[in-house]
Structure formats: structure tokens, C-alpha cells
Amino acid sequence: MFEKHGFHGVTVNQIVDKTGTSKGGFYHHFTSKDELLFVIHDAFITYVLEKATIATETFANPTEKLQAIIKVFVKTFDLYKAHISVFYQETIYLKPAYENRIKKKRDQFKQILLNAIREGKEAGEFRDDIPVDITTMAILGMVNWTYKWYQQPGTKTIDEIGSIYVDLILHAVLKADSISGDTYQQLLISSVKQDFHI
Amino acid sequence: MFEKHGFHGVTVNQIVDKTGTSKGGFYHHFTSKDELLFVIHDAFITYVLEKATIATETFANPTEKLQAIIKVFVKTFDLYKAHISVFYQETIYLKPAYENRIKKKRDQFKQILLNAIREGKEAGEFRDDIPVDITTMAILGMVNWTYKWYQQPGTKTIDEIGSIYVDLILHAVLKADSISGDTYQQLLISSVKQDFHI
DNA sequence: GTATACAGACCAACCAGTCGGTCTTTAAAA
DNA sequence: TTTTAAAGACCGACTGGTTGGTCTGTATAC
């Protein structure tokens, strides 16, 4: 409901009507409408942060790390599409105390991606002339924006979309000699490997 | 104010206080608070649509077209940062009649970008294995997301950021042989050329 | 003298949150 | 095993503050 009509476009009465509960019940479980908004935010960012952490720990190679982070993130769209929409649309309405807690986790996630890119440059796998910070935000933007248009079921599965993103991003950041010929195919993590067990 | 606190986080009274006007004055110029939201949306999308149209008309070559569209779009962040934030944050609160008018222009803009990419593939400049639709959305996302983090003055100017985006995107979509050596530098439109007169 | 621009007190609707109360579960006491 | 009392879960009518919008009145421009 928040995804479609926005936090202020949905009343607590509508929520309890839809869920077949009551106002009393709602305020028994949540201290406020704002807390519900926080819970939605927290559920998503906690999940994706954990997945991304495992992704970086699973792979040693920066190129693989980068792929794994992107794949794992894009995959969440199937499960958390609504959460993600709320996460990016309604953050301004989070009360400061809640916002701080979310911001911390969001920054951690960003840092994971940023580290992978920094390591990729240091390892000589990525181009020297890409700025780490802007490239991080560019990738983040490309991937995050998916919430604006992705819908299930579409002409492409979320895994296919993830693979396309990886392809575009790798072509953007890898050194030219890594892309030519068979080398590139070897750099791609296989679909077996990518489903590293959580 | 809408950028910082959201459409529902700002009351009409706050608006007229801030502008030193009155409620009567406000409702003399706007039929409703919703109309103000529409005007903000419309001002930005109309501007950027015109710029993008001129950009495509100015260049014949798809690679140049793509660059020009991105450059011209990113440049608007200096002027329209607040508008853009509202445009992407508060769209759900637009009344259907308003939303339809905005959607039309937004789709036109998307189409301009999509056409450039399609033409690039057809002309053999861009890689054959990039899907036009997803690539369009990827680029759109990368660029649009800027509103979430860009602030003036930052460590990089908006033109620098635009150039980085162009570099990343061209590496992502151009064929491998266009990137190696001096060829790539020749493909970049010069800063003189990019300020094609409007 | 008519239309436009603006002012600000006022109002009706709406909505998050409250509060007294009921039903159900739990677990200790008899 | 039965009784009982306390805690937890849930209900929904009600309220007080807020807010978009109105309306009457005034000043200025043409």
C-alpha cells in the first residue's frame, strides 16, 4: 500500500481494514505509524547488507566480488520489490532517530561496494582512470533505479537483468585487455558459483 | 521545501510564510496544492525534454547523440536539483490527471535515449549483445540517481561528473575496437561542441 | 468602475493516536 | 486435575490537533 500510494497516502484505518485487524491491534504491535515505516526499511536493508557481506567474504577476487554484490542485490527485487520502493521513496518521512539507524546500515552497504571497486583498481583489474566514489554511485544508481520500472513477471527475469547489469558494469570498469577474447568469459562467475550458499 | 520535507511534510501555511505571501495569494495563483506540485514537475521535464530534443537534432552520429543527451541532462542538476528531487520523490502524490501529462513527457524523454541506443546498435557502433530496453533503463538509473547524493559545491563539478558518466557508459556500450587506442578520444565530443547553442 | 491581486480569519474534514473494555493464553496455586 | 489470576492480544468508538481550502473584504491597475 505504501509502495502504491505513499506513506501519507495510506491511513492507519486503511491498513487495519486491509489486514482484517483493528486499530487497537495495530498500536499493540507498533508504537506508531512511523515505527511501521522503520520496520519496512530495516527489514530490507538488514537482509541486503547481510547478503552483500557474505558475497564479499565468499570471493577474494575484486572482479568476482563486484559481480556477486550486484547479483545478490538485484536478486532481492523479486522478494523485496515493495520494501525497496518504500525504502527509496519514503525515507524523508522517517523520524530522525529511525533515520540514523537506517543510514548506518545503508552506508555500510555502500562501503562494501566502494571497497570492491577500490580493491579492483589496486589489484590492477579495473581501469586506473575511473574515480572510485563516482563509479560507486553510478553503479548504485543503475541498480537501485530498477525499483522504478521492474515488474513481475516481465519479459526478462530478474537474474537476466542482473547479468546484463554485470555485463555493462564490467565493460565499464575492466581494463581493455581483460575484455577482449576469451578472457572476459572466464572472469564471469558461473550461475552455479553465484548461488553461494547463505 | 518539498525536496527536504516531502510534499506532505510542508503545509500551505509554511509555503506562504516562507515566501512572505498569503493563503489568498497562493490560491489566487494555484487552484490547489496539487497544482503547485504539478507545476514543479512540469517545469523540469519540459526543460529537459527540450534540451534532449535539441541534443539529438544537433548530432547525427549515435555515439555523439548519446553523449550529448547525457551531458545535457546531467547539466540540469545545477539548475534544477530541487525540482528533480521532487520529480522523483513525490510523483505518487500527483493527481491522475496531472500524472498523465507528466508521464507523456517523461516517456518522450526515455524514447529519445532509447532511440539513440537503438541507432547506435544499428549503425554498428554499439555492441550487438546489449539489450536496448534494459541498457536504456540502466543509463537512466545511473544518471537519475545523482539527485540522491549530488550537492553543490562538491569535490567535483557537475560537468566532471557528466564526463565520468559518459566515459563509463561509452565503455559499457561501444564495441571493443572503438575503445582501444586513439579512436576513443576522437569519439568524445569536445567541451566546445557539447555546449551547442540552444 | 470593473477586473485582478492579494490578505487573513475561519471552517469542515481528516487522521494518528488513546482508552476503556473484552477475549484468550499462560502458568502458578489449590 | 481443576481453579484462578495475571499478562498479553485485540477491539473500535472517540478525540484533539492539524491542514487544505473558502470566503469576505481591501487595495491597486487599467
Side-chain angles (χ1 to χ4, degrees), chain B residues 37-54:
Chain B
L37 186 63
F38 166 74
V39 168
I40 294 171
H41 274 73
D42 195 59
F44 160 66
I45 195 66
T46 302
Y47 177 86
V48 84
L49 185 58
E50 193 197 318
K51 291 280 187 177
T53 306
I54 296 168

Side-chain angles (χ1 to χ4, degrees), chain A residues 102-184:
Chain A
I102 296 299
K103 191 184 176 334
K104 230 173 248 176
K105 295 192 178 181
R106 198 179 48 203
D107 285 346
Q108 279 178 50
F109 178 77
K110 193 173 79 183
Q111 202 59 41
I112 288 174
L113 183 61
L114 193 134
N115 287 339
I117 294 174
R118 197 170 33 73
E119 290 168 23
K121 280 184 71 175
E122 287 167 1
E125 294 177 8
F126 298 166
R127 290 158 56 206
D128 293 319
D129 54 347
I130 53 165
V132 174
D133 50 354
I134 305 286
T135 306
T136 302
M137 295 319 290
I139 294 173
L140 223 45
M142 177 193 272
V143 175
N144 284 340
W145 200 254
T146 314
Y147 89 87
K148 288 268 187 187
W149 55 270
Y150 176 65
Q151 47 191 3
Q152 236 181 335
T155 50
K156 290 194 175 63
T157 67
I158 202 66
D159 276 328
E160 287 169 337
I161 294 170
S163 297
I164 295 164
Y165 284 165
V166 165
D167 179 68
L168 290 171
I169 291 167
L170 288 188
H171 274 82
V173 302
L174 282 175
K175 286 186 171 172
D177 56 342
S178 307
I179 291 167
S180 57
D182 300 331
T183 333
Y184 179 67

